[in-house]
Amino acid sequence: MADSSTRDVQKVTDVIHQLKMIRNGDKVLVCLSGGKDSLSLLHILRHYQQRCNKARSLEPSLFDPGSAEFNPRPLIEYCRKLNIDYFYEEQDIIGAAMKTPGLRSICAFCSRMKRGRLAAAAQFHGWNVLAMGQHLDDLAESFFIAAFQNGNLSTMKAQYTTKDNQLRVIRPLIMVREKALRHFAEEKKLPVVAENCQLASIKQQNDIVSNNCCPQELIFPDLFNSLRSALKPLLLVDSAHTSEMRTQAVQNIVNSS
């Protein structure tokens, strides 16, 4: 019988195949934050590239946002040990956030700025695919935030093409639980950079999934399998345009009912 890590890798490769996330000749930039999720993603995609030989290149990105609590440099040595090229950039995003009046969320600002920088780097260097490490728990949290705070029926998308049609963003880990990735990283002894952002404790306190779903999972052990099925019509939306996203989501729900 296959072990849990093998099954989780298979879940990822199945999603990649089913949704055609990686195609012949793709140049893939992997967002490497140093957390267990992104390191697991790099490890799995590297394995996938070696076996399937579809991607022309696979390169991790290392981004220093200017926080004294975060040092991504140990990841450089890890990439060298793997004998893979990497992209490294520094930008004082935290400093820019502190100077922005009326900012509601530094985390959202930092995330948005990093995505912008990665998109610009991808276009400049010729990468056409950006791989991100969000997992099923992240999708569930995105769904509940959209419902609770904005009254929207939405979540993160499995993949989509940016509005300028220059970059395809993929999330190969969407069917994998966060706890499975933690186990995978421990089993493979991945060099995880500890969660040391100064805002991490605030984010943890406001974690909708941890505070609401995890207790419910004790009552409903199959909760996340149910959420996976319920979210599928939403995550299969592939448009970057808000109006088209909503139309596609409704149509997907109709088609799946």
Side-chain angles (χ1 to χ4, degrees):
M1 182 180 293
D3 60 27
S4 58
S5 292
T6 301
R7 289 195 297 270
D8 291 325
V9 171
Q10 190 60 50
K11 285 181 184 178
V12 177
T13 56
D14 286 347
V15 166
I16 293 173
H17 285 313
Q18 290 168 8
L19 301 183
K20 297 180 175 60
M21 286 185 170
I22 297 179
R23 306 161 191 174
N24 290 329
D26 278 344
K27 295 185 67 177
V28 183
L29 183 64
V30 184
C31 300
L32 188 62
S33 67
K36 65 185 183 312
D37 307 334
S38 65
L39 280 165
S40 296
L41 176 62
L42 175 62
H43 190 92
I44 294 171
L45 289 184
R46 186 165 177 263
H47 173 76
Y48 179 85
Q49 182 193 27
Q50 291 169 343
R51 292 196 61 183
C52 298
N53 197 30
K54 283 190 175 183
R56 183 151 49 103
S57 66
L58 181 70
E59 191 167 331
S61 66
L62 311 175
F63 202 92
D64 187 342
S67 170
E69 289 79 13
F70 176 66
N71 177 22
R73 291 187 177 277
L75 298 172
I76 294 177
E77 185 58 33
Y78 176 65
C79 291
R80 288 172 177 166
K81 285 182 179 179
L82 293 178
N83 195 30
I84 55 177
D85 293 330
Y86 60 88
F87 170 75
Y88 178 80
E89 182 171 286
E90 298 178 2
Q91 186 182 22
D92 188 13
I93 292 179
I94 301 299
M98 295 300 184
K99 297 176 183 176
T100 303
L103 188 65
R104 296 179 60 185
S105 170
I106 294 181
C107 290
F109 179 86
C110 183
S111 178
R112 186 168 60 251
M113 290 290 288
K114 283 193 289 187
R115 284 199 304 270
R117 291 304 306 153
L118 287 170
Q123 186 171 6
F124 182 80
H125 293 281
W127 295 296
N128 68 306
V129 178
L130 183 62
M132 305 184 74
Q134 285 90 4
H135 44 69
L136 181 58
D137 294 58
D138 291 323
L139 265 67
E141 181 168 20
S142 175
F143 170 77
F144 286 119
I145 288 175
F148 291 174
Q149 296 184 359
N150 304 319
N152 290 336
L153 190 64
S154 65
T155 188
M156 297 177 185
K157 295 174 285 262
Q159 68 175 336
Y160 66 94
T161 302
T162 54
K163 292 180 181 180
D164 58 8
N165 293 316
Q166 297 299 309
L167 186 65
R168 195 167 70 254
V169 179
I170 64 173
R171 294 186 171 101
L173 303 180
I174 54 171
M175 293 300 171
V176 181
R177 289 293 311 278
E178 185 271 342
K179 61 183 179 183
L181 293 171
R182 187 187 312 116
H183 175 73
F184 183 89
E186 291 171 353
E187 184 182 83
K188 301 299 181 183
K189 295 181 172 58
L190 301 182
V192 175
V193 176
E195 178 69 89
N196 50 15
C197 174
Q198 58 189 338
L199 301 172
S201 60
I202 298 175
K203 182 181 184 299
Q204 189 173 21
Q205 292 170 10
N206 296 328
D207 192 327
I208 290 178
V209 170
S210 294
N211 294 338
N212 294 280
C213 289
C214 290
Q216 294 300 319
E217 195 172 11
L218 296 174
I219 304 172
F220 305 103
D222 211 35
L223 173 64
F224 274 86
N225 285 331
S226 297
L227 284 172
R228 184 186 289 114
S229 297
L231 292 173
K232 191 173 182 180
L234 301 177
L235 63 89
L236 291 181
V237 171
D238 61 3
S239 173
H241 300 270
T242 303
S243 58
E244 291 181 4
M245 284 170 53
R246 291 172 179 165
T247 301
Q248 287 186 23
V250 171
Q251 189 59 51
N252 287 342
I253 293 170
V254 171
N255 292 341
S256 63
S257 61

